[in-house]
Amino acid sequence: MPIDDFDEPGRWDEYQWERFLQQQDKNTEKYFALLEKYLDHPDRDKLIAGEMGWEFFEDGDERSWDEAADAWCAAEMGNDTSAAEDDGFANSPVYHDTMHLHSWVSDWIDKTPTIEEAEEACHLASQCAICGTKLATALGEHDPNEIGMTIAYLKRALKAANDALTASAKLVASGHMTHSQSTAFQKRLFQVRNHVVDNMSVFRSEWRRRQGENQ
């Protein structure tokens, strides 16, 4: 759903933000599908811009189409990794636990020669990364009034953490991860997951408090 279909963004709840983010996901998927479809077409930029509903930047314009597309992609995909660098999030326990999780996963992959053959290993690594970036977006620097957005991103972080847990169970079942490795992984993942759950509770309580004050 386009952002213009909502009133007063600062008062969106977590469900309105979820609908908006889901629409952004669809737009991103559509863009990359069009890019693949028209990759070698001489009028690629114009065709993509038309189907995406963008203004097409002709040659010589002050702002090129490539710059516009790059800016759009950064916005649509969240540019999540910058959130940890812009404020105090990088010094928080949440951030450090997230980095410990990423380091463990990277070391495990590097030390397991046949792991590249396991599709679930890539899924586990990607979901851990997604969990971290969504956490950074939720808890990084942004408008403090956008509590609904914060909760929506925390829910995405929680889903990624749960997907990573499922992947680890499949890796144990296939013999690519030992039980001791699974225990070590889950210990680190649950530290991060607990941060997500705790923060969801805090922000939902704050949302209810503010809603009560506005009634």
Side-chain angles (χ1 to χ4, degrees), residues 71-105:
W72 178 84
C73 283
E76 295 292 287
M77 299 180 74
N79 202 13
D80 295 329
T81 54
S82 64
E85 300 171 358
D86 291 340
D87 59 24
F89 180 73
N91 296 318
S92 69
V94 183
Y95 178 75
H96 288 295
D97 284 343
T98 302
M99 290 299 100
H100 291 156
L101 173 63
H102 294 334
S103 295
W104 189 94
V105 172

Side-chain angles (χ1 to χ4, degrees), residues 104 108 112 172 176-186:
W104 189 94
W108 170 68
T112 310
V172 171
H176 288 94
M177 178 181 278
T178 66
H179 287 285
S180 61
Q181 288 173 334
S182 177
T183 299
F185 168 73
Q186 290 187 21

Side-chain angles (χ1 to χ4, degrees), residues 24-35 52 72:
Q24 301 307 85
D25 289 342
K26 292 179 181 178
N27 289 341
T28 302
E29 290 174 5
K30 180 179 178 180
Y31 168 74
F32 284 113
L34 290 171
L35 185 62
M52 292 297 298
W72 178 84

Side-chain angles (χ1 to χ4, degrees), residues 38 40-49 56:
Y38 296 121
D40 298 321
H41 197 288
D43 294 324
R44 179 200 66 187
D45 295 351
K46 188 172 184 178
L47 290 168
I48 293 177
F56 178 69

